[in-house]
Each structure stands twice: as C-alpha cells, then as structure tokens.
Amino acid sequence: MLNVALLVSKLWVINVLIDGENEGVGVIVQDFDPKVAFARVNRQRLHEAFLEHHVLCLRGGSLSHESFLRLSRYFGEPKIQLLSDYHLDECPEISVISNYNNIGRGEPHVRATHWHTDDSYFARPAKATALYAQALPGAGGDTAFIDCHAVLDAMPASLRHLIEGRKAVHKYLSRRGKAVVAERNDAEIKETPDVSHPLIRIHPDTGRRALYINPNRIDHIEGIPIDESDTILDEIYAFAFETRFQFRHQWQLNDMLIWDNRCTMHRATTNFDISERREFLRILLKGEVPE
Ligand SMILES: [Fe+2]
C-alpha cells in the first residue's frame, strides 16, 4: 500500500485502493469517523479527491441512512432511481442492491457481473454511484473497476479514429447486452426511451477525455451499418477490458464507496459463496448530458 496524500485531517490516511498499474486510481480514507467528518470535513477537499482518484472509499464508521445520504450530498445531488421496487420505503433516494433481491426469484443471484457504467440509458446518466456495504460474504465479492481515462490515453490512434466524434445508442434492453436486467413497470418503460451518447466524452469537472461505453446497454454506433458497428464495438471492448486498466475494491463492512461513472466502468465479481448475503445500499447522484 502506498501513501499518496493526506486529506482533510491528520487522522485520515489515504492509501491506494489496490496494488496494480493504475497507481493513484482509487483511494481509501482510513479511520473515517462520520461524526468528525460532519463537524470538521472540508467538503471541497473530499470532492477533489473523488475527482482525482475516481473511486473513493470512506472506511471506519457505520452509517445511518441519514448519514449515508448526507455524505453523498458532499459529492452531488441524489436522484430517485428508476426501479421503485428496490427503494427503501422510508428513504426513496436509497435503493437496496442484494444477491437476494427478486431478480433471482428468491434464489441468490449476483447482478452486474459484466462491465458497465451505471444509468447510461438515461439522457442524463448519474454522475456517481455511492454504495454502503451492510452485509458481506466471509470472503470475496469484490467490485472491479476500469479507468476509462487510461483506456483512452493508451488507445492506438487507428482504433480511436473509428469512434472519434461518433455516438452510440444506449437501450435499457440492448441487442448486445449479456446481463440479466431487472424488469420495468409501464411507467419505468416510458421513462427510459433509447438515448445516444458520445463514445468519447469530456469530463465536465476536469476537462479530461474518457472512453464512454456501457457494454450492457450500447446497441449500436450511429451512422454506420450494424455489422460494422458490431465489429468496432467488439474491438473497442476487447481493448478496454485489458487487465492493465483494471483495479478492484475489496470490501469491508460499513465501507462507503463512491465512484465516478463519467470515467470508470465497474462490475461485480463472483469470487464468493453466493449463498452468503452480499448487500449494499445505493445512492445515485444526478449527472449531466454527456458531451
Ligand atoms: Fe453498476
């Protein structure tokens, strides 16, 4: 573990999230005490760390629903998530993500095991996702990430040329999607018409460019034949999924993890006994129209 910065207070040491080639991507704030945070934290510094490292873990204290919501507001404005079945009755901004939710019809089921970025089927996808770990298996169950700035920076010009200036159509139910996705009610279907987003987007806070793909939801690239689009998408995905761009978070109970959907992808891993409960509270933060 490598010290990369000291944030807000000397009590908090930030370490690189994982060992890997993406040094500085993903940080953990150790011994995070929400009571101290609410009294003393410099919100701006915390937000800057989020922007710099893309994935930020606040580790140390258990959080009430109210505290989780309050901390999330340090990074943006919570939105009401699409699928109302998963909302907490007492706090609709918070959803429950569990391997025992109803998508598995009562059987344990690990969702989101394919690379994706959250919410891209909306015209304004969530800028960030915050998860709070409230039940974890005895071992494993990591969340893996891809740094999409690093992918674009390393992409050969010949490959980048194929997507530069192009948009892709994102659908809730994509022709190419491999993941089992939750069913929508009629109102939710109306809320999720097809949308198109640039394949390379400019981060609105940092000005950096990143590859913006969601293999679960992209159906095709606009303006070219479908078979050509499929070939290009296959090439782009194969490059983006190279292990050199990946890192992962090993959860501890009560971790609050927040990541930037504008420059990362993520997926759940299945390196655990799925009969053991793995459960998070989730908040999505309102985002911008990708440009
Ligand atoms: Fe996700």
Side-chain angles (χ1 to χ4, degrees):
M1 299 281 262
L2 173 71
N3 268 358
V4 291
L6 193 65
L7 179 75
V8 183
S9 157
K10 287 180 183 173
L11 295 173
W12 301 347
V13 178
I14 297 182
N15 292 311
V16 168
L17 197 60
I18 57 120
D19 295 325
E21 294 182 24
N22 278 303
E23 189 173 287
V25 175
V27 288
I28 299 175
V29 179
Q30 303 280 7
D31 302 322
F32 182 82
D33 181 338
K35 290 192 190 71
V36 174
F38 293 138
R40 293 171 47 197
V41 75
N42 181 329
R43 291 182 180 207
Q44 187 62 27
R45 291 289 303 279
L46 214 50
H47 191 245
E48 285 169 6
F50 161 75
L51 291 178
E52 183 177 351
H53 301 288
H54 317 319
V55 181
L56 180 67
C57 174
L58 306 179
R59 170 172 287 169
S62 68
L63 300 178
S64 64
H65 295 164
E66 186 184 44
S67 295
F68 181 39
L69 200 53
R70 189 171 168 187
L71 282 170
S72 297
R73 288 199 175 100
Y74 284 21
F75 304 92
E77 188 183 347
K79 64 182 283 189
I80 302 294
Q81 294 167 53
L82 177 70
L83 303 168
S84 57
D85 283 355
Y86 303 111
H87 295 175
L88 284 182
D89 290 340
E90 65 274 27
C91 186
E93 295 95 339
I94 299 178
S95 292
V96 179
I97 304 292
S98 171
N99 59 334
Y100 276 94
N101 67 12
N102 65 11
I103 198 169
R105 306 279 190 272
E107 294 296 316
H109 174 89
V110 189
R111 295 174 65 177
T113 56
H114 296 275
W115 291 112
H116 66 283
T117 179
D118 289 334
D119 224 25
S120 78
Y121 47 82
F122 279 111
R124 290 176 178 269
K127 67 180 265 189
T129 300
L131 288 188
Y132 174 69
Q134 62 177 15
L136 291 174
D142 307 342
T143 298
F145 291 90
I146 287 176
D147 176 353
C148 294
H149 286 310
V151 173
L152 189 68
D153 290 348
M155 188 176 286
S158 57
L159 191 54
R160 181 167 172 160
H161 174 71
L162 300 174
I163 58 169
E164 193 85 56
R166 292 207 174 273
K167 288 186 165 185
V169 174
H170 295 238
K171 298 185 177 193
Y172 189 87
L173 291 172
S174 163
R175 177 179 57 87
R176 291 176 55 95
K178 294 188 175 75
V180 177
V181 297
E183 289 181 15
R184 300 163 291 173
N185 62 33
D186 288 345
E188 291 161 353
I189 289 171
K190 279 189 185 150
E191 273 187 74
T192 47
D194 299 351
V195 294
S196 65
H197 296 307
L199 283 155
I200 297 173
R201 70 179 289 185
I202 301 171
H203 195 293
D205 293 321
T206 67
R208 292 185 67 191
R209 283 174 165 73
L211 180 68
Y212 188 63
I213 55 171
N214 183 349
N216 280 355
R217 310 290 186 178
I218 285 182
D219 190 85
H220 62 276
I221 300 174
E222 283 183 339
I224 58 175
I226 288 288
D227 55 346
E228 188 181 334
S229 166
D230 283 341
T231 302
I232 294 172
L233 289 173
D234 288 344
E235 270 191 74
I236 295 287
Y237 294 173
F239 182 79
F241 298 166
E242 288 182 18
T243 53
R244 59 178 160 149
F245 304 121
Q246 298 179 21
F247 55 108
R248 61 173 56 200
H249 180 60
Q250 296 177 311
W251 290 95
Q252 291 186 14
L253 210 56
N254 301 326
D255 276 355
M256 172 177 161
L257 196 72
I258 181 162
W259 64 78
D260 194 331
N261 285 312
R262 302 165 295 185
C263 56
T264 61
M265 284 189 287
H266 61 278
R267 67 180 183 90
T269 59
T270 52
N271 62 341
F272 71 103
D273 175 354
I274 68 165
S275 69
E276 295 185 65
R277 188 170 288 270
R278 177 179 182 273
E279 191 168 282
F280 303 94
L281 300 179
R282 184 174 85 159
I283 292 173
L284 296 180
L285 301 183
K286 290 180 181 174
E288 314 81 1
V289 175
E291 292 181 347

